[in-house]
Amino acid sequence: MIILGIETSCDETAAAVVVDGREELASSLATSEELHQSTGGVVPEVAARKQLEFFVPVLEDVCIKAAPKLGLSNYTEVLNKVDAIAVTVGPGLIGSLLVGVNGAKALAFAHNKPLVPVNHLVGHIYGNFLRPLQHSDSNSSDHIAPATYLDNFSNEENIFPALVLIVSGGHTDLVLMKGHGSLEYLGGTVDDAAGEAFDKVARMLGLSSYLGGPLISKAAAECRHNSLLGQLPRPKIADEDYDFSFSGLKTATKNLINSYSSKDSPLPLNEICCEFEIAVVDVLIAKTKKAAQANNIKSILLGGGVSANKQLRTRLLGLGQELGVFVSVPPIRLCTDNAIYIASAAYYNYRPVSADKLDLIKANPGLGIVDQ
Ligand code: KG4
Ligand code: ZN
Protein backbone atom coordinates (compact mmCIF):
# COMPACT_ATOMS: atom_id res chain seq x y z
CA MET A 1 0.00 0.00 0.00
CA ILE A 2 1.38 3.42 -1.02
CA ILE A 3 0.58 6.27 1.37
CA LEU A 4 1.25 9.96 0.89
CA GLY A 5 1.85 11.43 4.37
CA ILE A 6 1.45 15.11 5.24
CA GLU A 7 2.72 16.78 8.43
CA THR A 8 2.14 20.45 9.32
CA SER A 9 1.67 20.42 13.10
CA CYS A 10 4.13 23.19 13.98
CA ASP A 11 6.85 24.89 11.93
CA GLU A 12 7.75 22.06 9.55
CA THR A 13 5.86 21.48 6.32
CA ALA A 14 6.56 17.90 5.30
CA ALA A 15 5.32 15.31 2.84
CA ALA A 16 6.48 11.74 2.19
CA VAL A 17 5.56 8.71 0.11
CA VAL A 18 5.94 5.42 2.00
CA VAL A 19 5.21 1.85 0.90
CA ASP A 20 3.64 -0.61 3.36
CA GLY A 21 4.56 1.56 6.34
CA ARG A 22 8.22 0.65 6.10
CA GLU A 23 9.82 1.71 2.86
CA GLU A 24 10.42 5.41 2.34
CA LEU A 25 10.17 6.24 -1.37
CA ALA A 26 10.51 10.00 -1.11
CA SER A 27 10.28 12.81 1.40
CA SER A 28 10.37 16.58 1.38
CA LEU A 29 10.50 19.11 4.19
CA ALA A 30 10.55 22.90 4.55
CA THR A 31 10.83 24.70 7.86
CA SER A 32 10.23 28.21 9.18
CA GLU A 33 12.51 27.54 12.19
CA GLU A 34 14.93 30.36 11.30
CA LEU A 35 12.14 32.95 11.47
CA HIS A 36 11.24 31.78 14.98
CA GLN A 37 14.87 32.05 16.05
CA SER A 38 14.70 35.77 15.33
CA THR A 39 11.51 36.21 17.41
CA GLY A 40 12.73 34.06 20.30
CA GLY A 41 10.05 31.39 19.90
CA VAL A 42 7.43 30.17 17.50
CA VAL A 43 4.83 32.79 16.52
CA PRO A 44 1.78 30.65 15.61
CA GLU A 45 0.46 33.11 13.03
CA VAL A 46 3.85 33.27 11.27
CA ALA A 47 4.18 29.46 11.36
CA ALA A 48 0.70 29.07 9.80
CA ARG A 49 1.44 31.56 7.02
CA LYS A 50 4.67 29.73 6.22
CA GLN A 51 2.76 26.42 6.13
CA LEU A 52 0.51 27.93 3.50
CA GLU A 53 3.48 29.16 1.50
CA PHE A 54 5.38 25.85 1.65
CA PHE A 55 2.49 23.40 1.27
CA VAL A 56 2.22 23.17 -2.53
CA PRO A 57 5.98 23.33 -3.28
CA VAL A 58 6.68 20.55 -0.73
CA LEU A 59 3.91 18.41 -2.18
CA GLU A 60 5.17 18.93 -5.72
CA ASP A 61 8.72 18.16 -4.65
CA VAL A 62 7.83 14.86 -2.97
CA CYS A 63 5.73 13.72 -5.92
CA ILE A 64 8.48 14.59 -8.39
CA LYS A 65 10.98 12.61 -6.27
CA ALA A 66 8.63 9.62 -5.97
CA ALA A 67 7.55 9.53 -9.63
CA PRO A 68 10.56 7.71 -11.17
CA LYS A 69 10.57 5.18 -8.31
CA LEU A 70 6.97 4.33 -9.18
CA GLY A 71 7.65 4.24 -12.92
CA LEU A 72 5.64 7.44 -13.35
CA SER A 73 6.53 10.72 -14.98
CA ASN A 74 4.69 13.51 -13.19
CA TYR A 75 3.08 14.99 -10.11
CA THR A 76 -0.54 14.15 -11.01
CA GLU A 77 0.27 10.55 -11.82
CA VAL A 78 1.74 10.09 -8.35
CA LEU A 79 -1.35 11.58 -6.69
CA ASN A 80 -3.52 9.25 -8.76
CA LYS A 81 -1.36 6.26 -7.91
CA VAL A 82 -1.27 6.52 -4.09
CA ASP A 83 -3.73 4.30 -2.21
CA ALA A 84 -4.40 6.80 0.56
CA ILE A 85 -3.41 10.18 1.94
CA ALA A 86 -2.50 10.55 5.63
CA VAL A 87 -2.41 13.78 7.59
CA THR A 88 -1.48 14.88 11.09
CA VAL A 89 -4.66 16.09 12.84
CA GLY A 90 -3.04 17.00 16.20
CA PRO A 91 -1.57 17.86 18.61
CA GLY A 92 0.00 21.07 17.38
CA LEU A 93 -0.70 24.69 16.52
CA ILE A 94 -4.24 25.11 15.22
CA GLY A 95 -3.29 27.43 12.32
CA SER A 96 -0.53 25.10 11.15
CA LEU A 97 -2.71 21.99 11.52
CA LEU A 98 -5.54 23.57 9.55
CA VAL A 99 -3.28 24.11 6.54
CA GLY A 100 -2.29 20.43 6.42
CA VAL A 101 -5.73 19.03 7.23
CA ASN A 102 -7.56 21.20 4.70
CA GLY A 103 -4.85 20.76 2.06
CA ALA A 104 -5.05 16.98 2.53
CA LYS A 105 -8.86 17.07 2.34
CA ALA A 106 -8.68 19.00 -0.95
CA LEU A 107 -6.25 16.42 -2.37
CA ALA A 108 -8.34 13.49 -1.15
CA PHE A 109 -11.46 15.00 -2.66
CA ALA A 110 -9.87 15.93 -5.98
CA HIS A 111 -8.21 12.53 -6.45
CA ASN A 112 -10.96 10.48 -4.78
CA LYS A 113 -8.61 8.95 -2.18
CA PRO A 114 -9.32 7.89 1.39
CA LEU A 115 -7.88 10.19 4.03
CA VAL A 116 -6.30 8.75 7.19
CA PRO A 117 -6.10 11.00 10.29
CA VAL A 118 -2.87 10.56 12.27
CA ASN A 119 -2.02 11.57 15.82
CA HIS A 120 1.39 13.30 15.66
CA LEU A 121 2.59 11.68 18.91
CA VAL A 122 1.66 8.22 17.66
CA GLY A 123 3.50 9.15 14.47
CA HIS A 124 6.72 9.60 16.46
CA ILE A 125 6.57 5.93 17.50
CA TYR A 126 6.72 4.83 13.88
CA GLY A 127 10.16 6.37 13.35
CA ASN A 128 11.16 2.95 14.73
CA PHE A 129 9.28 0.92 12.13
CA LEU A 130 10.86 2.22 8.94
CA ARG A 131 13.54 0.26 7.17
CA PRO A 132 17.00 1.78 7.18
CA LEU A 133 17.92 3.82 4.14
CA GLN A 134 20.93 2.48 2.34
CA HIS A 135 23.04 5.62 2.50
CA SER A 136 22.07 8.29 4.97
CA ASP A 137 21.36 6.30 8.13
CA SER A 138 25.03 6.07 8.99
CA ASN A 139 25.55 9.75 9.78
CA SER A 140 28.04 10.80 12.42
CA SER A 141 25.51 11.14 15.23
CA ASP A 142 24.27 7.63 14.63
CA HIS A 143 27.84 6.36 14.90
CA ILE A 144 27.96 7.58 18.47
CA ALA A 145 24.53 6.29 19.41
CA PRO A 146 23.56 4.05 16.53
CA ALA A 147 19.99 3.64 15.44
CA THR A 148 18.63 0.20 16.13
CA TYR A 149 15.92 -1.26 14.00
CA LEU A 150 12.91 -3.41 14.52
CA ASP A 151 14.18 -5.87 11.96
CA ASN A 152 11.72 -8.69 12.34
CA PHE A 153 8.48 -7.05 11.26
CA SER A 154 6.76 -10.30 10.36
CA ASN A 155 7.11 -11.39 13.95
CA GLU A 156 5.48 -8.70 16.01
CA GLU A 157 5.28 -10.89 19.09
CA ASN A 158 8.98 -10.01 19.46
CA ILE A 159 8.04 -6.33 19.78
CA PHE A 160 4.75 -6.21 21.71
CA PRO A 161 3.96 -5.40 24.40
CA ALA A 162 6.34 -2.49 24.06
CA LEU A 163 7.09 0.38 26.40
CA VAL A 164 7.10 3.67 24.48
CA LEU A 165 8.90 6.80 25.64
CA ILE A 166 7.95 9.91 23.66
CA VAL A 167 10.06 12.98 24.36
CA SER A 168 9.30 15.96 22.15
CA GLY A 169 9.14 19.74 22.35
CA GLY A 170 5.59 19.70 23.70
CA HIS A 171 5.16 16.24 25.23
CA THR A 172 6.82 13.67 27.46
CA ASP A 173 4.81 10.45 27.65
CA LEU A 174 5.31 6.87 28.83
CA VAL A 175 2.89 4.50 27.16
CA LEU A 176 2.33 0.76 27.11
CA MET A 177 1.83 -0.36 23.51
CA LYS A 178 0.15 -3.74 23.30
CA GLY A 179 -0.05 -3.59 19.53
CA HIS A 180 -0.81 -1.12 16.74
CA GLY A 181 -3.68 1.07 17.87
CA SER A 182 -3.61 -0.31 21.42
CA LEU A 183 -1.98 2.25 23.70
CA GLU A 184 -2.30 2.52 27.47
CA TYR A 185 -1.16 5.76 29.09
CA LEU A 186 1.21 5.23 32.02
CA GLY A 187 2.35 8.76 32.73
CA GLY A 188 3.60 12.04 31.37
CA THR A 189 4.83 15.45 32.30
CA VAL A 190 2.75 17.50 34.70
CA ASP A 191 4.32 20.76 33.48
CA ASP A 192 7.12 21.36 30.93
CA ALA A 193 8.04 18.73 28.36
CA ALA A 194 11.65 17.51 28.23
CA GLY A 195 12.32 19.29 24.91
CA GLU A 196 10.75 22.48 26.22
CA ALA A 197 13.09 22.39 29.24
CA PHE A 198 16.10 21.94 26.91
CA ASP A 199 14.90 24.90 24.83
CA LYS A 200 14.31 27.17 27.82
CA VAL A 201 17.68 26.40 29.39
CA ALA A 202 19.39 27.04 26.03
CA ARG A 203 17.69 30.43 25.97
CA MET A 204 18.84 31.22 29.55
CA LEU A 205 22.40 30.40 28.54
CA GLY A 206 22.18 32.53 25.40
CA LEU A 207 22.83 29.48 23.20
CA SER A 208 19.65 29.68 21.16
CA SER A 209 16.48 31.71 21.22
CA TYR A 210 14.25 28.92 19.91
CA LEU A 211 15.17 25.22 19.59
CA GLY A 212 18.22 24.70 21.78
CA GLY A 213 18.28 20.96 22.57
CA PRO A 214 21.05 20.06 20.11
CA LEU A 215 23.18 23.02 21.29
CA ILE A 216 22.91 22.01 24.97
CA SER A 217 23.84 18.51 23.94
CA LYS A 218 26.86 19.74 21.95
CA ALA A 219 28.11 21.91 24.83
CA ALA A 220 27.56 19.03 27.28
CA ALA A 221 29.68 16.74 25.10
CA GLU A 222 32.55 19.21 25.43
CA CYS A 223 32.52 19.01 29.24
CA ARG A 224 35.48 16.91 30.33
CA HIS A 225 34.79 16.83 34.05
CA ASN A 226 31.38 17.63 35.53
CA SER A 227 32.26 19.26 38.84
CA LEU A 228 28.57 20.20 39.18
CA LEU A 229 27.41 16.58 39.26
CA GLY A 230 24.37 16.22 41.52
CA GLN A 231 23.87 19.98 41.96
CA LEU A 232 20.61 20.03 40.04
CA PRO A 233 17.47 18.19 41.23
CA ARG A 234 16.12 15.04 39.52
CA PRO A 235 12.41 15.87 39.96
CA LYS A 236 10.04 13.01 40.82
CA ILE A 237 12.78 10.46 40.26
CA ALA A 238 11.83 8.40 43.33
CA ASP A 239 8.05 8.84 43.03
CA GLU A 240 5.96 5.74 42.50
CA ASP A 241 4.09 7.20 39.52
CA TYR A 242 5.28 7.44 35.93
CA ASP A 243 4.87 11.19 35.72
CA PHE A 244 7.57 13.76 35.04
CA SER A 245 8.12 17.39 36.03
CA PHE A 246 10.80 19.53 34.42
CA SER A 247 9.68 22.99 35.48
CA GLY A 248 11.50 22.92 38.86
CA LEU A 249 14.67 21.66 37.19
CA LYS A 250 14.50 24.61 34.81
CA THR A 251 14.18 27.04 37.74
CA ALA A 252 17.03 25.35 39.63
CA THR A 253 19.19 25.70 36.50
CA LYS A 254 18.30 29.40 36.32
CA ASN A 255 19.31 29.82 39.97
CA LEU A 256 22.58 27.98 39.33
CA ILE A 257 23.33 30.25 36.35
CA ASN A 258 22.44 33.36 38.37
CA SER A 259 24.70 32.28 41.25
CA TYR A 260 27.71 32.88 38.98
CA SER A 261 26.88 36.57 38.51
CA SER A 262 28.02 37.22 42.09
CA LYS A 263 31.15 35.07 41.75
CA ASP A 264 34.46 36.04 40.23
CA SER A 265 34.69 32.82 38.21
CA PRO A 266 33.25 32.69 34.68
CA LEU A 267 30.07 30.76 33.94
CA PRO A 268 30.98 27.07 33.40
CA LEU A 269 28.70 26.75 30.37
CA ASN A 270 29.67 23.23 29.32
CA GLU A 271 29.40 21.90 32.86
CA ILE A 272 25.97 23.44 33.38
CA CYS A 273 24.78 21.92 30.09
CA CYS A 274 26.25 18.57 31.07
CA GLU A 275 24.66 18.56 34.52
CA PHE A 276 21.30 19.69 33.14
CA GLU A 277 21.36 17.03 30.42
CA ILE A 278 22.29 14.30 32.91
CA ALA A 279 19.52 15.42 35.27
CA VAL A 280 16.88 15.16 32.50
CA VAL A 281 18.20 11.83 31.25
CA ASP A 282 18.51 10.41 34.80
CA VAL A 283 14.78 10.99 35.33
CA LEU A 284 13.76 9.68 31.90
CA ILE A 285 15.82 6.51 32.38
CA ALA A 286 14.68 5.92 35.98
CA LYS A 287 10.97 6.18 35.09
CA THR A 288 11.40 4.07 31.97
CA LYS A 289 13.19 1.42 34.01
CA LYS A 290 10.44 1.39 36.63
CA ALA A 291 7.73 1.07 33.97
CA ALA A 292 9.69 -1.63 32.13
CA GLN A 293 10.07 -3.68 35.30
CA ALA A 294 6.41 -3.34 36.26
CA ASN A 295 5.11 -4.45 32.88
CA ASN A 296 5.95 -7.61 31.05
CA ILE A 297 7.39 -5.89 27.99
CA LYS A 298 9.43 -7.22 25.08
CA SER A 299 10.85 -3.94 23.80
CA ILE A 300 11.32 -0.25 24.51
CA LEU A 301 10.64 2.21 21.67
CA LEU A 302 11.95 5.78 21.79
CA GLY A 303 10.46 8.70 19.85
CA GLY A 304 10.20 12.49 19.61
CA GLY A 305 12.74 15.22 18.91
CA VAL A 306 14.69 14.66 22.17
CA SER A 307 15.35 11.08 21.06
CA ALA A 308 18.09 12.64 18.91
CA ASN A 309 19.96 13.24 22.18
CA LYS A 310 23.05 11.01 22.27
CA GLN A 311 23.19 10.75 26.04
CA LEU A 312 19.56 9.55 26.15
CA ARG A 313 20.06 7.11 23.26
CA THR A 314 23.20 5.63 24.76
CA ARG A 315 21.74 5.23 28.23
CA LEU A 316 18.49 3.75 26.97
CA LEU A 317 20.42 1.19 24.94
CA GLY A 318 22.38 0.43 28.13
CA LEU A 319 19.12 0.01 30.05
CA GLY A 320 17.96 -2.47 27.42
CA GLN A 321 21.11 -4.52 27.97
CA GLU A 322 20.67 -4.36 31.73
CA LEU A 323 17.05 -5.54 31.53
CA GLY A 324 17.54 -7.94 28.64
CA VAL A 325 14.94 -6.07 26.58
CA PHE A 326 15.29 -4.98 22.96
CA VAL A 327 15.56 -1.17 22.64
CA SER A 328 14.76 0.64 19.40
CA VAL A 329 16.03 4.18 18.90
CA PRO A 330 15.09 5.79 15.58
CA PRO A 331 17.70 7.10 13.15
CA ILE A 332 18.44 10.78 13.77
CA ARG A 333 16.59 11.92 10.62
CA LEU A 334 13.38 10.30 11.94
CA CYS A 335 13.55 11.80 15.46
CA THR A 336 12.38 15.32 14.68
CA ASP A 337 9.17 16.13 12.84
CA ASN A 338 8.68 14.69 9.35
CA ALA A 339 5.94 13.10 7.25
CA ILE A 340 7.68 9.74 6.78
CA TYR A 341 6.54 8.39 10.12
CA ILE A 342 3.09 9.94 9.62
CA ALA A 343 2.63 7.78 6.50
CA SER A 344 4.00 4.76 8.39
CA ALA A 345 1.65 5.31 11.34
CA ALA A 346 -1.29 5.59 8.93
CA TYR A 347 -0.44 2.20 7.42
CA TYR A 348 -0.23 0.44 10.79
CA ASN A 349 -3.30 2.25 12.18
CA TYR A 350 -5.36 2.29 9.01
CA ARG A 351 -8.63 4.15 9.70
CA PRO A 352 -9.56 5.55 6.29
CA VAL A 353 -12.28 8.12 5.78
CA SER A 354 -13.67 8.06 2.25
CA ALA A 355 -13.57 11.14 0.04
CA ASP A 356 -17.31 11.73 0.50
CA LYS A 357 -17.09 11.86 4.32
CA LEU A 358 -14.16 14.23 4.79
CA ASP A 359 -16.16 16.39 7.21
CA LEU A 360 -15.49 13.68 9.82
CA ILE A 361 -11.83 14.67 9.97
CA LYS A 362 -11.03 17.68 12.11
CA ALA A 363 -7.82 19.33 13.31
CA ASN A 364 -7.47 18.85 17.08
CA PRO A 365 -4.61 20.83 18.67
CA GLY A 366 -5.14 19.28 22.13
CA LEU A 367 -4.91 15.61 21.16
CA GLY A 368 -3.12 13.39 23.71
CA ILE A 369 -1.09 10.32 22.77
CA VAL A 370 -3.86 7.80 23.57
CA ASP A 371 -6.61 9.88 21.90
CA GLN A 372 -7.93 8.66 18.56
O1 KG4 B 1 9.35 16.14 18.07
P1 KG4 B 1 9.90 17.48 17.75
O2 KG4 B 1 10.68 17.65 16.47
O3 KG4 B 1 8.78 18.54 17.75
C1 KG4 B 1 7.66 18.41 18.54
O4 KG4 B 1 6.77 17.61 18.17
O5 KG4 B 1 7.65 19.06 19.60
O6 KG4 B 1 10.80 17.87 19.00
C2 KG4 B 1 11.49 19.09 19.05
C3 KG4 B 1 12.24 19.13 20.37
C4 KG4 B 1 12.81 20.51 20.67
O7 KG4 B 1 12.49 20.85 22.00
C5 KG4 B 1 14.31 20.30 20.49
O8 KG4 B 1 15.12 21.17 21.26
C6 KG4 B 1 14.46 18.87 20.93
O9 KG4 B 1 13.35 18.21 20.34
N1 KG4 B 1 15.72 18.25 20.47
C7 KG4 B 1 16.70 17.85 21.31
C8 KG4 B 1 17.75 17.36 20.50
N2 KG4 B 1 17.36 17.48 19.19
C9 KG4 B 1 16.12 18.02 19.20
N3 KG4 B 1 16.78 17.84 22.66
C10 KG4 B 1 17.90 17.37 23.23
N4 KG4 B 1 18.95 16.90 22.52
C11 KG4 B 1 18.92 16.88 21.17
N5 KG4 B 1 19.97 16.41 20.48
ZN1 ZN C 1 7.06 16.04 17.05
Side-chain angles (χ1 to χ4, degrees), residues 4 6 15 17 55-68 70 72-82 103 107 111:
L4 167 68
I6 294 171
V17 178
F55 188 82
V56 172
V58 163
L59 196 70
E60 275 177 350
D61 185 52
V62 81
C63 290
I64 288 163
K65 284 177 182 159
L70 293 166
L72 304 171
S73 54
N74 66 45
Y75 173 84
T76 318
E77 283 177 7
V78 174
L79 291 174
N80 286 333
K81 173 85 180 171
V82 300
L107 284 171
H111 295 269

Side-chain angles (χ1 to χ4, degrees), residues 7 9-12 91 120-121 124 166-171 193-200 202 210-218 276-277 303-313 332 335-338 341:
E7 153 66 38
S9 65
C10 186
D11 55 354
E12 267 98 22
H120 177 86
L121 298 169
H124 271 299
I166 296 297
V167 271
S168 74
H171 294 81
E196 191 179 354
F198 267 96
D199 296 338
K200 287 177 176 167
Y210 180 37
L211 297 180
L215 297 173
I216 297 244
S217 190
K218 189 164 173 270
F276 169 77
E277 184 179 71
V306 184
S307 59
N309 184 279
K310 284 172 210 148
Q311 166 93 232
L312 176 60
R313 294 162 78 84
I332 299 292
C335 291
T336 45
D337 293 349
N338 64 78
Y341 59 57

Side-chain angles (χ1 to χ4, degrees), residues 84-292:
I85 297 169
V87 66
T88 300
V89 291
L93 303 172
I94 185 65
S96 291
L97 288 168
L98 283 172
V99 174
V101 169
N102 287 310
K105 282 187 185 184
L107 284 171
F109 183 73
H111 295 269
N112 194 24
K113 301 289 175 185
L115 185 59
V116 185
V118 177
N119 179 321
H120 177 86
L121 298 169
V122 173
H124 271 299
I125 302 173
Y126 287 86
N128 292 289
F129 282 79
L130 284 131
R131 281 204 187 108
L133 282 183
Q134 289 194 332
H135 314 293
S136 62
D137 280 355
S138 55
N139 63 36
S140 58
S141 311
D142 278 354
H143 279 303
I144 296 163
T148 52
Y149 294 96
L150 297 173
D151 44 13
N152 196 352
F153 294 102
S154 55
N155 211 354
E156 288 187 347
E157 59 264 31
N158 291 340
I159 302 170
F160 301 124
L163 179 65
V164 174
L165 174 65
I166 296 297
V167 271
S168 74
H171 294 81
T172 304
D173 291 317
L174 262 176
V175 173
L176 188 62
M177 185 176 185
K178 294 179 183 155
H180 302 292
S182 172
L183 300 178
E184 187 186 310
Y185 185 78
L186 297 178
T189 184
V190 296
D191 42 52
D192 289 359
E196 191 179 354
F198 267 96
D199 296 338
K200 287 177 176 167
V201 168
R203 196 175 308 161
M204 286 173 203
L205 290 165
L207 288 175
S208 159
S209 52
Y210 180 37
L211 297 180
L215 297 173
I216 297 244
S217 190
K218 189 164 173 270
E222 280 160 23
C223 169
R224 294 287 153 254
H225 167 66
N226 180 12
S227 63
L228 299 175
L229 189 65
Q231 297 239 343
L232 290 174
R234 273 66 172 158
K236 291 181 76 56
I237 195 162
D239 291 7
E240 280 307 308
D241 57 36
Y242 301 121
D243 288 337
F244 302 90
S245 165
F246 294 108
S247 173
L249 172 59
K250 187 187 64 188
T251 310
T253 309
K254 191 172 177 47
N255 292 340
L256 182 63
I257 295 168
N258 290 345
S259 73
Y260 283 88
S261 57
S262 57
K263 292 179 189 163
D264 286 339
S265 52
L267 187 75
L269 182 92
N270 295 348
E271 292 186 21
I272 291 176
C273 289
C274 181
E275 171 60 0
F276 169 77
E277 184 179 71
I278 292 175
V280 173
V281 175
D282 276 353
V283 181
L284 292 173
I285 294 292
K287 295 275 175 166
T288 305
K289 182 174 179 177
K290 194 178 295 186

